[in-house]
Each structure stands twice: as structure tokens, then as C-alpha cells.
């Protein structure tokens, strides 16, 4: 689940304000009995978790005493996952969730924090819990000795909205509380060492003007960050946004990074990049099986409900879905096995090292504006012109086999990734081309999804020859998918024409 909090520093003699006058009509304050919470935080010897904004703790007295908190995209928002377990034995599921941060290093008690909490619930007229205010007096323990103390206020959003939190904040700051950074208790308890930079180096800001190497290093770090950030979410089967999955995003991270290492190969030491690309290919392949199953299950229900006036047999659709569900479960089990393997742990270590110290060639020192267009032109011209084995996008015929359309899609994806990597630096026409290529890729992706789905529905029917309802339903699904491929093919020439216009691509010549 997502936890959204705001924290406030206060002096020891701070007095909570009277909230009732600051709250919307109908919202009341319910004071809870004080509780004492003693939490033991685990970390590596060099505090890798704390420095990355991650925590693994055991808190005595909680119904689910073990909790992992992971950073999310917004400040003050974290993924919170709690499980049962004995005090000296963290659940294996939770230690696995922090693999991308601990990288296999031993986890041991690093800080013990005792909190005397006075909590206040904000409830509406229907008794819904809108938010909780926690007034925490914190003691950092060293054995039985108190090493440090501090006080802080936490406001956690439940079913309330941002306006309610803003009203509470105004009341708190008006009474002298200090809003600002979001520093977890254990980080304050551990001191400056826990507040150091994370091991995974972020992309950072580019200098002005950037060298080609600056841009490539930023792209490499973005790709690595995307992969590792989605590691725990893949393990949790967590959704990403409204209509995406962590498996998809982690796989995209692998494929983009492999593509960047290939496109910018002349700027990167080959002996360094090749093993990394090989291992990323392995991981992307494992994730790809699970992603394909995800897409097919979504596709089945999308295609089956495409024409409400001509409904398909729901029981037959359900039997097809069960086949896909079994495949999906098997693919996810393979993902879990891969993420728990020594091979993956070694890859994570290599990725962190790669983000810390990418190995570039002397050409990387040259100006980005001079070097990058020539490198991006290679995948672009391969997309446009093709070769003996793959059609160029401009020559792709509407009656070409699905395999040829898929081959163009692969080249299109590489070209799009390359343009994306430099668009933020080169701007102008490069950014316009990136946007236009995205639309081209959407059409090619829709074509491929429909073509693969049609083959899948047909194969499931062939595997169940005695199930006549499935055979009929699969046949109707195939007809709808082939109609979708024809629609994509018909729309492709116009989309390609917009993407390949001279004013968008002149910078590549």
C-alpha cells in the first residue's frame, strides 16, 4: 500500500494547536490513548538502505511487526509492506524486497528507536478516517541508554484529500511547527552517515553545453534506475499507474538500456558494455514471458468485449482466460526464480557499478551536438531504409507478412529509444521526431499485439479440439484481431509520413 505523510519538526515544548477551527465542517478530532512503540531497524554495515530512502524494521506490539518502506515517485509518499514474523527473523519476502538496495549484503540491527506517540484521528460525519496526526516523542536507544531525543509531528493521509492536509499544515506551522524535508526517524537516529548519497548514482543535471559522454552517462543511469526501482514492485505484483505493470516497466528499462549501449557504442568501451548487454538480454527475456502473458490476458477481454451487439460466449472466454492465467502464473514463477538467483544478484551489482563509473571512450569528450546526431542516424536509417532481411518503413507494404511488420517494429523501437535519449538535449526537431515516432510505434505495437493474439487464440482452440464452444469463440476472436491488424496497417502510412518529414529529420543527415 502507499503511505502518504508530511513531517514537521517541533521544539520539545511545542503545543498542538486547536484544530477544530481549521478543519472543514463536519470533521472532528478523536484523541487516542498514548502508546509506546519500540522499533529496531535493520541495515547493512554501510547503511545502504537508509541512504537509499528504504527501511526494514521490526516494531514491537504491531499486529504485523515487520515492515518495509520503499520510496515512491512523490516526496512524502512511500510503499509500505507489512508482514508477520518473529523478532529475530525478518520474513524472507521482505528481505527480498530490498535486494536492489542491499545487493546481498548482511542485514543486521542498525538502530533502535522508542517512540511515545499521542495520536489524533480526523473523522467525518460518516466516521470515515480522513487523516491521522501523530505527536511523537522519540528516543534513540543504545542498549538501555538514551543516546538522543527529538520530537516530530507526522500527518498521514487516509481517505481525506490534499486540502485537508493543507489546512492541518497551516494550523501546525501557525503554531510554530517547521515544515520541510522528509527525514525518516531511523535516518535521524543513525546520523550523518545515513544521510549520505545512495549507492545508485542518479542521472543528475547535465552541464551546459554537455559533452556526448554526459548525455550517454545520463541515459545509462536513467535506464539502470528504472530497472532497479521496479524490482520490488515486480516482486509485489504491484500496478504502476492506472494501466501499467511493474513487469512491463522493468522490461522496458532493460530494453532501453541495451538499446542505448548499442546506439552509443562508439562512445562506450565495448569490453565493458558487452557483458552488461548480454545479462540485460537474459533478464528482459525472463520478464518478457510474463509481460506477453499480461498483454494477452488484457487483450482477450478487450477483444471479446469490442462489439457489445455481438457478444461472445462468456464461458468459452473464461476457459481461454484460464489457459492464459496458467501461463501467466508459470511466467511469474520464472521471474521470481530469476530475481532470487545469484546471476541476478551479480547483475544488480554490475548495474550499480555501471551507474557509478560508466566506461567511456575518448570520443565521449566531444560536444554532444556534434557527435550524437551521427550516432542516432544509424538506427534511424536502418528503420527507414531496411536491409536485405528487413523492409524499410517507407517500403513496408500493406500485404507484407506479419513477420516483416514485426521486424520493422523492432527497428522502430531502437530508433525511437535513440531519439528519446538525445531529444532532451538537442530539442527542437529531435523532440518533435521523438513524439512522432511514439505514434508510429503505437501503431506497430497494436499490429503486433493483434497478430500474436490471433495466433494464440487459434493455438488454444487447436489444443482443445473437443471444446467446440472454444473453437467457435476463438475463431471469432481471430477475425476481430485480423481486423485490428488491417486497421493498423491502413493508418501506418500517414503516421510514417508525419514522422519522416524532412523538417523533423534533417538534423540526422
Amino acid at each position: 500500500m502507499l503511505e502518504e505523510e508530511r513531517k514537521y519538526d517541533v521544539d520539545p515544548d511545542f503545543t498542538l494547536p486547536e484544530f477544530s477551527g481549521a478543519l472543514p465542517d463536519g470533521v472532528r478530532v478523536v484523541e487516542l490513548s498514548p502508546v509506546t512503540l519500540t522499533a529496531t531497524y535493520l541495515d547493512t554495515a554501510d547503511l545502504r538502505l537508509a541512504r537509499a530512502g528504504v527501511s526494514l524494521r521490526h516494531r514491537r506490539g504491531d499486529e504485523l511487526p515487520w515492515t518495509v518502506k520503499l520510496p515512491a515517485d512523490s516526496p512524502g509518499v512511500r510503499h509500505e509492506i507489512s508482514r508477520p514474523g518473529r523478532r529475530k527473523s525478518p520474513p524472507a519476502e521482505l528481505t527480498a524486497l530490498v535486494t536492489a538496495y542491499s545487493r546481498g549484503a548482511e542485514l543486521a540491527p542498525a538502530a533502535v528507536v522508542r517512540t511515545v506517540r499521542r495520536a489524533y484521528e480526523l473523522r467525518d460525519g460518516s466516521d470515515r478516517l480522513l487523516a491521522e496526526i501523530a505527536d511523537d516523542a522519540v528516543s534513540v536507544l543504545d542498549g538501555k541508554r538514551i543516546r538522543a531525543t527529538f520530537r516530530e509531528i507526522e500527518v498521514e493521509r487516509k481517505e481525506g484529500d490534499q486540502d485537508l492536509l493543507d489546512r492541518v499544515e497551516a494550523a501546525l506551522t501557525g503554531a510554530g511547527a517547521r515544515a520541510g524535508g522528509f527525514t525518516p526517524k531511523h535516518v535521524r537516529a543513525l546520523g550523518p552517515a545515513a544521510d549520505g548519497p545512495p549507492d545508485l548514482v542518479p542521472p543528475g543535471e547535465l552541464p551546459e553545453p554537455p559533452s556526448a559522454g554526459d548525455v550517454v552517462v545520463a541515459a545509462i543511469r536513467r535506464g539502470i534506475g528504472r530497472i532497479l526501482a521496479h524490482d520490488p514492485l515486480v516482486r509485489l505484483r504491484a500496478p504502476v499507474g492506472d494501466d501499467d505493470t511493474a513487469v512491463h516497466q522493468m522490461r522496458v528499462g532493460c530494453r532501453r538500456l541495451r538499446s542505448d549501449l548499442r546506439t552509443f557504442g562508439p562512445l562506450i568501451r565495448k569490453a565493458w558494455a558487452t557483458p552488461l548487454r548480454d545479462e540485460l538480454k537474459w533478464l528482459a527475456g525472463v520478464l518478457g514471458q510474463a509481460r506477453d502473458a499480461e498483454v494477452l490476458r488484457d487483450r482477450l477481454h478487450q477483444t471479446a468485449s469490442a462489439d457489445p451487439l455481438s457478444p461472445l460466449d462468456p464461458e468459452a472466454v473464461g476457459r481461454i482466460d484460464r489457459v492464459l492465467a496458467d501461463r501467466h502464473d508459470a511466467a511469474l514463477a520464472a521471474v521470481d526464480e530469476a530475481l532470487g538467483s545469484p546471476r541476478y544478484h551479480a547483475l544488480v551489482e554490475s548495474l550499480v557499478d555501471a551507474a557509478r563509473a560508466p566506461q567511456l571512450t575518448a570520443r565521449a569528450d566531444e560536444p554532444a551536438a556534434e557527435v550524437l546526431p551521427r550516432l542516432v542516424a544509424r538506427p534511424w536509417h536502418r528503420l527507414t531504409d531496411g536491409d536485405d532481411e528487413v523492409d524499410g518503413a517507407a517500403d513496408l507494404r500493406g500485404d507484407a507478412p506479419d513477420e516483416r511488420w514485426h521486424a520493422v517494429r523492432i527497428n522502430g523501437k531502437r530508433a525511437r529509444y535513440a531519439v528519446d535519449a538525445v531529444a532532451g538535449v538537442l530539442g527542437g526537431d529531435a523532440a518533435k521526431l521523438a513524439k512522432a515516432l511514439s505514434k508510429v510505434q503505437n501503431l506497430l505495437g497494436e499490429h503486433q499485439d493483434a497478430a500474436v493474439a490471433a495466433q494464440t487464440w487459434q493455438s488454444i482452440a487447436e489444443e482443445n479440439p473437443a471444446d467446440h464452444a472454444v473453437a467457435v469463440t476463438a475463431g471469432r476472436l481471430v477475425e476481430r484481431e485480423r481486423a485490428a491488424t488491417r486497421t493498423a496497417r491502413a493508418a501506418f502510412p500517414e503516421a510514417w509520413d508525419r514522422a519522416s518529414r524532412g523538417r523533423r529529420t534533417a538534423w540526422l543527415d
Side-chain angles (χ1 to χ4, degrees):
M1 61 171 291
L2 285 176
E3 172 196 67
E4 182 179 346
E5 287 183 337
R6 298 185 188 182
K7 285 181 176 283
Y8 304 87
D9 290 331
V10 295
D11 296 329
D13 59 352
F14 176 79
T15 300
L16 280 174
E18 177 60 48
F19 288 109
S20 57
L23 302 178
D25 292 341
V27 176
R28 69 185 192 281
V29 180
V30 179
E31 182 175 358
L32 305 181
S33 300
V35 295
T36 299
L37 308 168
T38 301
T40 300
Y41 290 86
L42 276 58
D43 210 327
T44 64
D46 56 358
L47 305 182
R48 295 177 183 180
L49 302 189
R51 289 186 289 109
V54 174
S55 67
L56 169 59
R57 79 172 185 219
H58 177 277
R59 194 159 72 181
R60 193 168 60 207
D62 284 356
E63 181 180 355
L64 298 174
W66 284 101
T67 298
V68 160
K69 293 189 179 184
L70 302 163
D73 293 334
S74 303
V77 180
R78 293 181 292 179
H79 298 277
E80 181 180 298
I81 308 96
S82 296
R83 297 291 184 268
R86 293 180 295 179
R87 181 171 63 86
K88 294 186 177 181
S89 301
E93 179 188 357
L94 297 191
T95 57
L97 286 181
V98 300
T99 295
Y101 306 97
S102 67
R103 307 195 308 283
E106 182 181 0
L107 296 168
V112 179
V113 174
R114 184 173 66 208
T115 302
V116 177
R117 170 166 293 179
R118 292 174 171 82
Y120 305 83
E121 294 180 341
L122 304 185
R123 293 184 174 271
D124 65 10
S126 301
D127 207 36
R128 287 189 311 143
L129 179 57
L130 304 178
E132 183 175 282
I133 302 167
D135 183 356
D136 289 343
V138 183
S139 300
V140 181
L141 304 183
D142 185 358
K144 294 183 179 181
R145 183 175 66 89
I146 296 177
R147 180 163 52 84
T149 63
F150 58 89
R151 187 179 172 197
E152 68 178 20
I153 307 293
E154 293 180 353
V155 181
E156 182 176 355
R157 185 162 77 96
K158 300 294 187 178
E159 294 187 60
D161 55 20
Q162 291 293 337
D163 177 67
L164 177 62
L165 267 62
D166 291 342
R167 288 170 178 256
V168 172
E169 179 168 301
L172 287 170
T173 55
R178 297 178 293 278
F182 186 89
T183 305
K185 288 182 176 66
H186 71 293
V187 173
R188 295 182 66 173
L190 289 165
D195 203 27
D199 284 351
L200 182 61
V201 180
E205 297 292 330
L206 290 174
E208 185 61 42
S211 69
D214 292 329
V215 177
V216 171
V217 167
I220 290 172
R221 288 173 175 167
R222 278 196 304 272
I224 293 171
R226 187 176 196 166
I227 294 168
L228 297 186
H230 287 93
D231 168 306
L233 303 183
V234 168
R235 299 172 192 268
L236 288 168
R237 313 289 192 250
V240 180
D242 295 331
D243 57 357
D244 204 354
T245 68
V247 166
H248 179 221
Q249 286 301 313
M250 192 174 185
R251 185 193 187 200
V252 169
C254 292
R255 296 172 74 171
R256 276 187 178 268
L257 182 52
R258 287 192 75 241
S259 181
D260 288 342
L261 292 172
R262 174 177 176 169
T263 297
F264 304 114
L267 309 180
I268 304 169
R269 290 185 57 191
K270 184 177 180 180
W272 175 82
T274 299
L276 200 57
R277 291 190 74 243
D278 290 344
E279 292 305 283
L280 289 167
K281 181 179 181 180
W282 161 72
L283 179 58
V286 175
L287 293 166
Q289 295 295 318
R291 176 56 182 168
D292 291 346
E294 287 178 351
V295 170
L296 282 168
R297 292 195 74 187
D298 288 344
R299 187 89 194 180
L300 172 63
H301 296 289
Q302 172 188 321
T303 305
S305 61
D307 185 356
L309 298 180
S310 183
L312 304 187
D313 183 339
E315 293 184 359
V317 172
R319 291 197 289 278
I320 294 172
D321 184 59
R322 282 194 291 275
V323 173
L324 299 177
D326 289 343
R327 295 180 185 178
H328 193 197
D329 289 344
L332 288 174
V335 169
D336 289 339
E337 182 178 356
L339 297 188
S341 69
R343 182 175 184 178
Y344 176 71
H345 294 163
L347 173 57
V348 171
E349 194 72 50
S350 296
L351 290 172
V352 174
D353 287 342
R356 183 184 297 118
Q359 297 186 21
L360 307 181
T361 65
R363 283 192 63 189
D365 292 333
E366 298 176 21
E370 296 179 11
V371 175
L372 296 182
R374 294 197 299 271
L375 297 180
V376 175
R378 294 179 181 180
W380 168 252
H381 288 306
R382 182 172 174 79
L383 169 62
T384 58
D385 303 333
D387 55 28
D388 293 339
E389 298 180 358
V390 180
D391 291 330
D395 301 320
L396 188 58
R397 301 193 322 273
D399 60 352
D402 291 341
E403 293 77 15
R404 287 187 177 271
W405 281 79
H406 181 46
V408 172
R409 175 178 178 252
I410 292 173
N411 284 342
K413 192 178 293 289
R414 290 169 179 165
R416 178 190 169 191
Y417 288 164
V419 174
D420 280 349
V422 303
V425 174
L426 301 181
D429 292 333
K432 293 177 182 178
L433 179 58
K435 185 176 180 181
L437 276 178
S438 176
K439 296 179 180 179
V440 169
Q441 281 303 106
N442 288 341
L443 280 175
L444 292 172
E446 165 65 12
H447 181 281
Q448 176 65 6
D449 288 348
V452 170
Q455 294 170 359
T456 302
W457 314 146
Q458 183 172 337
S459 69
I460 290 175
E462 292 170 351
E463 292 167 5
N464 299 272
D467 193 330
H468 300 297
V470 163
V472 171
T473 299
R476 296 180 67 188
L477 288 168
V478 169
E479 290 177 354
R480 294 180 180 184
E481 301 293 5
R482 294 315 307 178
T485 64
R486 292 191 295 273
T487 299
R489 291 182 182 214
F492 179 79
E494 181 180 353
W496 175 249
D497 180 65
R498 289 197 301 269
S500 58
R501 288 173 185 167
R503 68 175 183 270
R504 289 197 176 105
T505 62
W507 60 281
L508 291 167
D509 294 330

